[in-house]
Amino acid sequence: MLTEAALNCTAIQIRLLYARVLTTCFPAREETLWDNHKDPMTGDILHRHRTRLNDLTITFRDTLCNEALVAIEDICIVIANLPRSHFGMHSPNRSRCTLMNNEMNRELPYNTVEMADIISHNVPLLTEEQRIIYDRIMLTVLAGQGGFVFLDAPGETGKTFLISLILA
């Protein structure tokens, strides 16, 4: 399953699949599963490091694998509220990993003019129900009250459109 996913999916999707396998299927050889599929699960991290350092000679290292393992453990915690160690694997070294900071820093530099254009173009396209949800979320954000937004619905309901607009 993971071999086939490596042909068609992103590294993030493969990590998600791997975490789902760990938390729901309890494979007998977790370490072997990791060893056999760690390259496609860390490919995006390798690419990001090569791009950031402008060095295409960088190869897979323990720190890159550790970064992927932290991401996988985070998914396991979300799915099952349990760390990787509960599933018979060693927990990653979180002190060496700044994955969350890297991900947040990657999202910070965006074009505010472009985002404003997206919003002004797309807000009128929202359905009445989407507009009510959008307005409530934006009031909370603008008031600095913070919080989390989780939208879930069957396919083709417009949830992706609404989430993209909120994140813009």
Side-chain angles (χ1 to χ4, degrees):
M1 175 175 47
L2 288 167
T3 301
E4 186 174 321
L7 299 173
N8 302 307
C9 299
T10 66
I12 293 170
Q13 292 169 323
I14 300 167
R15 288 193 297 266
L16 176 60
L17 178 61
Y18 179 77
R20 285 184 190 263
V21 167
L22 281 181
T23 57
T24 59
C25 301
F26 309 105
R29 297 183 186 136
E30 302 91 0
E31 292 290 342
T32 303
L33 194 62
W34 164 254
D35 288 338
N36 291 341
H37 300 284
K38 66 183 173 187
D39 288 356
M41 285 192 269
T42 57
D44 61 328
I45 297 167
L46 175 63
H47 175 74
R48 187 176 65 239
H49 283 270
R50 284 177 174 173
T51 303
R52 190 183 71 220
L53 299 172
N54 197 23
D55 183 359
L56 297 177
T57 63
I58 295 174
T59 58
F60 287 104
R61 295 188 301 240
D62 288 342
T63 54
L64 301 180
C65 290
N66 186 69
E67 198 170 323
L69 290 171
V70 168
I72 290 165
E73 183 171 75
D74 289 345
I75 297 168
C76 290
I77 291 169
V78 169
I79 293 172
N81 201 25
L82 295 167
R84 284 180 73 240
S85 60
H86 178 80
F87 304 102
M89 301 197 62
H90 299 291
S91 288
N93 183 345
R94 288 187 176 268
S95 65
R96 292 185 349 198
C97 183
T98 58
L99 178 62
M100 183 58 82
N101 290 337
N102 289 341
E103 294 299 321
M104 288 181 65
N105 288 336
R106 187 188 70 178
E107 295 298 326
L108 292 176
Y110 57 89
N111 185 329
T112 56
V113 174
E114 183 180 314
M115 294 295 117
D117 287 343
I118 291 170
I119 291 169
S120 65
H121 174 72
N122 289 320
V123 167
L125 302 176
L126 293 172
T127 66
E128 184 178 334
E129 185 179 12
Q130 288 173 331
R131 182 60 189 250
I132 291 168
I133 295 167
Y134 174 80
D135 288 342
R136 286 183 184 167
I137 292 169
M138 293 311 296
L139 282 173
T140 302
V141 170
L142 294 173
Q145 295 173 343
F148 293 93
V149 175
F150 178 77
L151 299 175
D152 189 20
E156 302 300 318
T157 59
K159 66 183 178 292
T160 303
F161 176 70
L162 180 58
I163 291 170
S164 297
L165 188 56
I166 291 168
L167 294 176

